[in-house]
């Protein structure tokens, strides 16, 4: 089998278990596959997940391996030495007491998170959450830094700096904002009926302010009916605004096409086509091997706005600097200082 690096396709999918099955390998070898997202079910120990990532990279050299590893209740790997990361609201609360200490802590948290993941072979964590903490949204809740978009921006920028110090890119989510609506897009179709001017002034402001420090963005499966009838991830209007008015040049990921919030676009193939036509570079399908197979069989990549440019954007998220091993991290004074600071946040 050739180990040549193929161009990365526009599909990110998952694998079933803690090692690769024949079906996993078949999907990884498909030319439309460009990424893998890991979940808690894929984790048993550091040694096991490190071996799994190496197996994935051997099967498809250059592929992007990602995980939702934010901290708080959204942290896929929690045992066998992984630092228990606090919810991001704790950084916002620290900001209200001590601005500079919160910025320092955010940088340390980003570094620890990324260094530990990279030591195991993971390339990207889908974070930071840029949603505002309005209160009613249980699915966002303490995943948000703060209600004030300026505080969210500054803490996210420091998180991103810490990630970058460990050689990891970032992904801001969920554009233009998921924090105001109470409904959970995993199981419902949230609708935000506010004036778009208010959304742009408040919720979407961090995306503009962060500018070049954002590597990737994930739109929300939320409908904003006074701007467009489609959820943001399927909306050419929203994604054109992100590109043209906010000047974003990085990767746009769809959120999971298996979520209920994506059902307005049709089946998984129709949803992927709608997302790529709207301007997404890569589409996610999670927790559903049958839907992944349907997507790989039925996707027409030519519907994308610029498939060649999208592939280059995706490839740019793959780390190029060498990662420290786990043992090297434990001996590294920078990591030890950052780890101690993060532990003090609990």
């Amino acid at each position: 089998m050739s180990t040549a690096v193929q161009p990365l396709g526009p599909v990110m999918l998952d694998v079933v278990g803690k090692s690769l099955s024949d079906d996993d390998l078949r999907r990884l070898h498909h030319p439309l596959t460009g990424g893998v997202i890991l979940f808690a079910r894929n984790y048993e120990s550091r040694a096991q997940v490190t071996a799994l990532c190496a197996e994935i990279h051997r099967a498809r050299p250059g592929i992007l391996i990602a995980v939702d590893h934010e901290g708080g209740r959204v942290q896929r790997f929690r045992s066998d030495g992984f630092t228990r990361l606090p919810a991001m609201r704790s950084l916002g609360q620290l900001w209200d007491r001590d601005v500079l200490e919160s910025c320092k802590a955010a940088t340390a948290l980003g570094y620890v998170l990324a260094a530990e993941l990279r030591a195991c072979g993971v390339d990207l964590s889908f974070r930071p959450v840029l949603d505002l903490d309005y209160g009613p949204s249980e699915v966002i809740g303490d995943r948000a830094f703060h209600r004030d978009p300026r505080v969210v921006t500054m803490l996210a920028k420091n998180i991103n700096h810490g990630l970058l110090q460990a050689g990891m890119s970032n992904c801001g989510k969920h554009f233009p904002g998921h924090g105001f609506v109470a409904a959970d897009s995993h199981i419902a179709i949230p609708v935000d009926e506010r004036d778009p001017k208010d959304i742009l002034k408040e919720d979407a402001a961090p995306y503009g302010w962060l500018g070049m420090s954002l590597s990737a963005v994930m739109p929300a499966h939320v409908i904003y009916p006074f701007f467009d009838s489609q959820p943001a991830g399927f909306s050419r209007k929203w994604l054109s605004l992100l590109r043209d008015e906010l000047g974003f040049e990085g990767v746009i990921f769809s959120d999971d096409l298996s979520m209920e919030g994506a059902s307005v676009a049709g089946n998984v193939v129709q949803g992927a086509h709608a997302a790529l036509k709207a301007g997404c570079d890569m589409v996610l399908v999670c927790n559903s091997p049958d839907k992944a197979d349907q997507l790989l069989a039925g996707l027409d990549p030519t519907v994308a706005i610029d498939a060649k440019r999208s592939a280059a954007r995706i490839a740019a998220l793959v780390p190029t600097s060498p990662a420290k091993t786990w043992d090297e991290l434990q001996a590294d004074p920078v990591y030890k200082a950052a780890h101690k600071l993060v532990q003090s946040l609990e």
Side-chain angles (χ1 to χ4, degrees):
M1 183 175 63
S2 172
T3 58
V5 177
Q6 298 173 284
L8 296 181
V11 175
M12 176 173 280
L13 41 74
D14 54 17
V15 296
V16 173
K18 296 177 174 63
S19 60
L20 297 182
S21 68
D22 289 343
D23 282 335
D24 290 326
L25 287 167
R26 172 177 53 79
R27 295 183 192 105
L28 290 176
H29 292 152
H30 197 287
L32 292 180
T33 300
V36 173
I37 180 169
L38 300 179
F39 290 92
R41 69 169 184 274
N42 303 121
Y43 181 80
E44 181 179 89
S45 67
R46 281 191 292 107
Q48 169 270 321
V49 82
T50 301
L52 175 61
C53 289
E55 194 178 7
I56 292 168
H57 280 134
R58 281 196 303 271
R60 186 69 184 273
I63 199 168
L64 180 71
I65 301 179
V67 67
D68 283 317
H69 202 81
E70 302 169 10
R73 55 198 159 93
V74 183
Q75 181 175 343
R76 305 306 186 201
F77 313 150
R78 295 170 175 266
S79 62
D80 199 12
F82 270 97
T83 303
R84 289 292 189 105
L85 304 170
M88 293 305 98
R89 182 184 283 166
S90 67
L91 288 173
Q93 292 169 338
L94 179 56
W95 173 285
D96 291 336
R97 302 191 302 271
D98 189 328
V99 170
L100 294 181
E101 190 63 26
S102 69
C103 291
K104 180 180 177 181
T107 303
L109 194 153
Y111 178 76
V112 167
L113 180 156
E116 291 181 354
L117 288 178
R118 288 208 60 209
C120 296
V122 177
D123 302 314
L124 177 72
S125 175
F126 285 115
R127 61 151 313 135
V129 170
L130 300 180
D131 302 313
L132 305 187
D133 189 2
Y134 285 98
S137 175
E138 291 186 6
V139 70
I140 300 303
D142 63 3
R143 296 166 66 192
F145 292 107
H146 205 275
R147 167 61 182 85
D148 189 331
R150 298 168 299 177
V151 177
V152 170
T153 300
M154 293 306 299
L155 289 175
K157 192 173 183 66
N158 281 279
I159 288 280
N160 290 351
H161 181 59
L163 296 174
L164 187 61
Q165 283 185 309
M168 182 177 283
S169 297
N170 62 73
C171 180
K173 59 186 185 184
H174 306 83
F175 177 79
H178 200 314
F180 187 80
V181 292
D184 180 353
S185 55
H186 291 86
I187 57 174
I189 304 172
V191 178
D192 188 336
E193 296 184 333
R194 288 179 296 161
D195 186 324
K197 291 181 181 178
D198 293 333
I199 296 169
L200 290 170
K201 182 179 179 181
E202 295 273 341
D203 303 66
Y207 294 89
W209 288 332
L210 284 166
M212 292 173 62
S213 73
L214 276 182
S215 313
V217 165
M218 179 178 286
H221 283 331
V222 176
I223 298 174
Y224 309 86
F226 293 102
F227 190 82
D228 195 0
S229 61
Q230 296 298 312
F234 306 116
S235 166
R236 184 70 179 268
K237 287 182 67 176
W238 274 119
L239 300 191
S240 293
L241 183 150
L242 177 64
R243 291 286 191 211
D244 300 336
E245 295 188 30
L246 300 183
F248 177 67
E249 293 293 336
V251 174
I252 301 178
F253 290 96
S254 82
D255 208 341
D256 179 13
L257 297 176
S258 298
M259 292 164 57
E260 182 61 27
S263 64
V264 295
N267 63 36
V268 68
V269 176
Q270 292 167 330
H273 285 162
L276 293 174
K277 286 179 181 178
C280 287
D281 298 293
M282 179 169 260
V283 295
L284 275 71
V285 58
C286 308
N287 303 310
S288 184
D290 290 345
K291 288 184 178 180
D293 284 335
Q294 292 170 24
L295 183 55
L296 294 176
L299 182 66
D300 176 4
T302 66
V303 303
I305 291 176
D306 188 340
K308 186 175 181 180
R309 189 172 184 185
S310 290
R313 285 174 174 145
I314 296 163
L317 296 181
V318 177
T320 55
S321 62
K324 289 183 171 67
T325 67
W326 195 270
D327 288 343
E328 287 172 339
L329 273 186
Q330 306 315 302
D332 180 61
V334 174
Y335 171 80
K336 289 195 287 187
H339 182 264
K340 182 177 180 181
L341 180 50
V342 171
Q343 284 189 313
S344 73
L345 296 172
E346 289 287 359

